[in-house]
Amino acid sequence: RWEEEKAADGVKWTQLEHRGPYFAPLYEPLPEGVRFYYDGNPLKLSLATEEIATFYAKMLNHEYTTKEIFQKNFFHDWRKEMTSEEQEIIQDLDKCDFSEIHKYFVDQSEARKALPKEEKQKLKEEADKIQEEYGYCILDGHREKIGNFKTEPPGLFRGRGNHPKMGMLKKRIMPEDVVINCSRDSKIPEPPEGHKWKEVRFDNTVTWLASWTENIQNTLKYIMLNPSSKLKGEKDWQKYEVARRLKDVVHKIRAQYRADWKSKEMKKRQRAVALYFIDKLALRAGNEKEEGETADTVGCCSLRVEHIKLHPELDGQEHVVEFDFLGKDSIRYYNKVSVEKLVFKNLQRFVKNKDPTDDLFDKLNTNFLNKHLQNLMDGLTAKVFRTYNASITLQEQLKALTNPEDNIGGKLLSYNRANRAVAVLCNHQRTVPKTFAKSMEILQAKIDAKKKQVEEAQQEVKKAEDEFEDTKDAKAEVNVEKKKKLLKRLEEQLARLEVQATDKEENKQIALGTSKLNYLDPRISIAWCKKFGVPIEKIYNKTQREKFAWAIAMANEDFEF
């Protein structure tokens, strides 16, 4: 399936038929008894204003609504949608009371959870029916699953990190915003009654089925095929094959950029130092900001003088560069790295006589860098370096950390530690989950209870052994074995719980998923599972196993990246 004949260059399909997107349901007004209050008095809101008020009310217990920038953006966008009468009255967010609306949605959520089994089944059947109708397309005669066939409902933009646009209003997507892509001879999807599509295209050089522009970042959003589809799988496989090709030339590339540290051309020196950072620290190239994004985020090529501090010596290490900047999604990158002497000297030259807001690599941009990378190897970009370094790191860490004698729990801890090394390299952070302390408390209570059981079982074994010593009775001997087996089982359970606690603690601020799904060749993990007898489902859930079906079919236990 993965190696079928490919179509002519650029052509992705010859037949594509689908139903178009499934639109978010329209707003249902609040019941009469659920009210919004302004300055202590109930205030009946117009429908559009009320809908936006519910977006904020639903998030009342979330950290976002405590942030000043979120509140400011929300209030600004909300007032734009109000009637002139409402604008006259509602002038201050602090005087707005959303608590009744918030309670209503919390109660609704609890009621849904408490529904009887039959009701839940009915809801599931309705969802399955929608999935069946909208969730599949016909692509070159195959019925393929679509990834995200629903448009995102309206709401408040959250963003990652401290995004400057958080709290802004994400508008409802209408059929008039949507471009449909299908084959000319297919049944063109019908727009909802009373509406029409923005445009219908027949472009077989792209793999998306529908697209629209969202209003916050002004970026295009697409409905694509599911990751388990043949087209997506092939693209994924090719991505890792390009990264594997880098393995054969990376030594030559490293020798080249090292030589360029001494180049007579300042432009070449800057490119060589930037490439060293991309290679050694898995930094993103930079200059790839989405249009309309106002966050002050940077990558390697767009670093400014203020983003680094140079320490000839720090914490017992020489030539230390201290990085501190906001990377993609406004996630802070902070790192102290001991670099090679020539890199340090070059950086001293690059910052000389510059203001803090000047570019560190003022002679460099991503186009110039990527053109150079393309000359070094066909298909090479900064992202390929990231994929290569992430995959190689995982493979090396797994070799170093896995103990074949460990039980499955111990092996999984080693796997997560190897994955964590990659997540740290790629700066994949997350905030500590709100439920972390509570779930750790529950886990600790389980550990304490299990320890108690182990102690009791140890006493039972001792008692049984003493009894056998006294009587030399066969029955007493069987009892000793029985008690020992129980003790062993309890000790294994305790060890599993302790491994779980260690893993949880080490993972609390690291997001393992991003690297696992986007930067790590899945064949490395699958080969490891096969070699060490770990079930693949312990590493990849059902959806992920579908996404990586190509890798499961290809990799045997001695696969090397």
Side-chain angles (χ1 to χ4, degrees):
R1 181 178 181 226
W2 304 107
E3 290 163 347
E4 278 175 9
E5 205 175 308
K6 304 280 182 289
D9 208 28
V11 173
K12 302 286 196 290
W13 46 262
T14 51
Q15 178 208 12
L16 176 63
E17 189 170 297
H18 57 92
R19 283 290 314 265
Y22 181 78
F23 289 92
L26 294 172
Y27 175 63
E28 283 184 28
L30 292 168
E32 279 303 314
V34 180
R35 289 167 304 184
F36 165 78
Y37 292 84
Y38 186 74
D39 207 6
N41 302 308
L43 180 63
K44 182 75 182 149
L45 300 173
S46 63
L47 211 57
T49 308
E50 180 186 278
E51 181 181 13
I52 298 164
T54 66
F55 301 156
Y56 193 82
K58 283 175 188 172
M59 292 178 71
L60 271 195
N61 60 353
H62 204 292
E63 189 196 348
Y64 276 107
T65 51
T66 63
K67 295 184 179 180
E68 198 180 323
I69 185 76
F70 189 94
Q71 295 172 355
K72 186 170 161 258
N73 286 337
F74 159 71
F75 198 58
H76 174 266
D77 280 10
W78 188 31
R79 277 182 55 80
K80 278 200 294 195
E81 304 298 319
M82 290 177 187
T83 64
S84 50
E85 290 87 349
E86 286 167 338
Q87 284 175 344
E88 275 292 305
I89 301 165
I90 303 170
Q91 305 254 352
D92 184 351
L93 184 60
D94 288 337
K95 292 181 179 176
C96 296
D97 180 356
F98 302 91
S99 54
E100 250 183 49
I101 306 175
H102 173 71
K103 185 183 180 306
Y104 169 72
F105 284 108
V106 170
D107 293 347
Q108 290 280 95
S109 169
E110 292 306 316
R112 268 197 304 279
K113 285 179 199 165
L115 280 176
K117 203 174 171 186
E118 307 74 58
E119 289 294 317
K120 282 183 179 169
Q121 184 56 32
K122 215 191 278 178
L123 289 175
K124 186 185 180 301
E125 282 164 13
E126 283 169 20
D128 288 347
K129 202 174 153 198
I130 293 167
Q131 168 79 47
E132 205 50 42
E133 195 176 338
Y134 289 88
Y136 292 89
C137 68
I138 303 295
L139 184 106
D140 294 345
H142 294 284
R143 186 170 185 261
E144 293 273 21
K145 202 172 181 185
I146 298 170
N148 50 335
F149 60 90
K150 295 179 176 180
T151 62
E152 225 181 314
L156 303 180
F157 178 69
R158 299 182 182 202
R160 292 192 191 144
N162 277 323
H163 203 289
K165 292 188 174 184
M166 62 164 72
M168 286 171 82
L169 176 63
K170 276 194 305 186
K171 299 203 165 160
R172 182 179 291 280
I173 306 301
M174 300 303 282
E176 287 72 13
D177 303 317
V178 175
V179 177
I180 294 288
N181 192 32
C182 57
S183 52
R184 208 174 282 277
D185 57 357
S186 70
K187 186 176 182 298
I188 292 167
E190 291 283 330
E193 209 176 317
H195 293 277
K196 57 183 196 300
W197 303 122
K198 180 180 181 180
E199 187 191 335
V200 176
R201 277 187 208 169
F202 312 108
D203 185 354
N204 64 1
T205 64
V206 295
T207 56
W208 54 266
L209 287 66
S211 78
W212 59 88
T213 303
E214 56 85 33
N215 67 293
I216 305 278
Q217 308 268 55
N218 226 11
T219 54
L220 279 165
K221 293 280 184 186
Y222 299 98
I223 286 183
M224 306 285 248
L225 290 166
N226 185 278
S228 63
S229 68
K230 185 168 183 286
L231 272 178
K232 281 277 197 181
E234 277 173 358
K235 202 174 168 190
D236 228 13
W237 171 32
Q238 290 314 318
K239 173 175 90 175
Y240 292 113
E241 284 304 304
V242 171
R244 284 179 89 194
R245 283 209 329 265
L246 176 56
K247 185 179 60 174
D248 302 326
V249 293
V250 75
H251 302 297
K252 204 170 86 188
I253 292 171
R254 285 170 179 162
Q256 163 87 61
Y257 71 56
R258 281 165 186 279
D260 283 348
W261 291 341
K262 301 175 194 164
S263 169
K264 287 188 170 67
E265 276 183 72
M266 184 56 92
K267 196 173 185 176
K268 271 191 184 171
R269 281 194 186 213
Q270 290 192 0
R271 183 182 68 193
V273 172
L275 199 43
Y276 170 77
F277 286 160
I278 285 166
D279 182 16
K280 186 179 163 73
L281 304 173
L283 292 189
R284 289 184 176 85
N287 294 129
E288 65 235 316
K289 231 190 258 193
E290 291 174 344
E291 217 180 303
E293 191 180 326
T294 55
D296 183 20
T297 56
V298 295
C300 188
C301 294
S302 46
L303 283 170
R304 297 193 294 272
V305 173
E306 63 191 325
H307 294 138
I308 66 162
K309 279 189 189 137
L310 301 174
H311 305 278
E313 201 180 321
L314 185 73
D315 304 332
Q317 288 185 304
E318 286 191 323
H319 312 123
V320 175
V321 182
E322 185 178 352
F323 293 88
D324 193 355
F325 61 89
L326 288 185
K328 188 183 175 195
D329 296 325
S330 301
I331 300 289
R332 183 185 181 202
Y333 181 90
Y334 180 78
N335 201 358
K336 292 177 193 166
V337 193
S338 173
V339 300
E340 299 198 26
K341 191 176 178 179
L342 266 177
V343 171
F344 194 82
K345 285 195 159 176
N346 271 310
L347 287 168
Q348 285 177 318
R349 283 187 68 172
F350 301 163
V351 300
K352 206 174 175 186
N353 301 325
K354 281 186 186 172
D355 289 330
T357 53
D358 288 343
D359 286 337
L360 177 65
F361 301 117
D362 53 320
K363 306 268 188 285
L364 186 64
N365 61 41
T366 33
N367 285 343
F368 176 64
L369 180 73
N370 279 331
K371 213 172 269 178
H372 173 63
L373 292 175
Q374 193 61 37
N375 290 336
L376 295 172
M377 183 190 107
D378 186 38
L380 184 59
T381 63
K383 188 167 184 173
V384 175
F385 261 103
R386 220 168 140 76
T387 307
Y388 164 77
N389 279 318
S391 293
I392 281 287
T393 301
L394 180 76
Q395 186 168 274
E396 286 169 353
Q397 289 288 313
L398 285 175
K399 280 180 184 169
L401 297 171
T402 311
N403 177 1
E405 304 304 310
D406 275 349
N407 60 19
I408 286 180
K411 286 172 185 166
L412 284 172
L413 181 63
S414 299
Y415 180 87
N416 280 347
R417 282 181 169 157
N419 191 350
R420 197 150 44 242
V422 176
V424 168
L425 174 77
C426 294
N427 197 41
H428 291 149
Q429 301 177 25
R430 62 173 183 171
T431 50
V432 178
K434 272 197 298 192
T435 54
F436 179 76
K438 185 80 186 134
S439 61
M440 266 315 248
E441 211 177 286
I442 293 166
L443 191 53
Q444 195 52 53
K446 282 183 186 172
I447 290 171
D448 294 342
K450 195 60 72 181
K451 276 182 178 168
K452 204 168 173 213
Q453 284 179 303
V454 168
E455 280 168 24
E456 285 166 4
Q458 282 167 338
Q459 286 163 7
E460 288 289 318
V461 168
K462 177 95 175 63
K463 208 163 122 187
E465 281 174 341
D466 290 347
E467 196 178 311
F468 175 61
E469 274 297 310
D470 294 344
T471 61
K472 300 289 185 212
D473 177 30
K475 203 173 167 188
E477 191 177 5
V478 170
N479 191 36
V480 170
E481 286 311 307
K482 202 169 123 191
K483 297 289 183 194
K484 278 185 174 173
K485 264 185 192 165
L486 175 66
L487 175 63
K488 188 169 184 279
R489 197 166 72 240
L490 289 169
E491 283 173 338
E492 282 172 359
Q493 288 170 351
L494 176 62
R496 269 204 301 275
L497 285 169
E498 285 176 332
V499 161
Q500 211 181 325
T502 307
D503 206 22
K504 214 177 176 66
E505 177 60 43
E506 289 177 2
N507 273 347
K508 68 179 177 186
Q509 281 183 287
I510 301 286
L512 298 184
T514 313
S515 51
K516 192 156 94 174
L517 295 183
N518 300 308
Y519 290 104
L520 298 175
D521 189 327
R523 291 171 292 184
I524 299 168
S525 301
I526 289 153
W528 178 83
C529 285
K530 289 179 179 176
K531 186 173 182 178
F532 293 104
V534 176
I536 292 172
E537 52 272 24
K538 295 280 185 190
I539 301 293
Y540 295 123
N541 64 29
K542 185 173 179 285
T543 311
Q544 292 162 352
R545 292 198 299 277
E546 285 172 2
K547 174 181 166 74
F548 295 137
W550 60 271
I552 293 170
M554 281 180 201
N556 55 26
E557 65 173 59
D558 40 20
F559 170 83
E560 286 277 326
F561 178 70

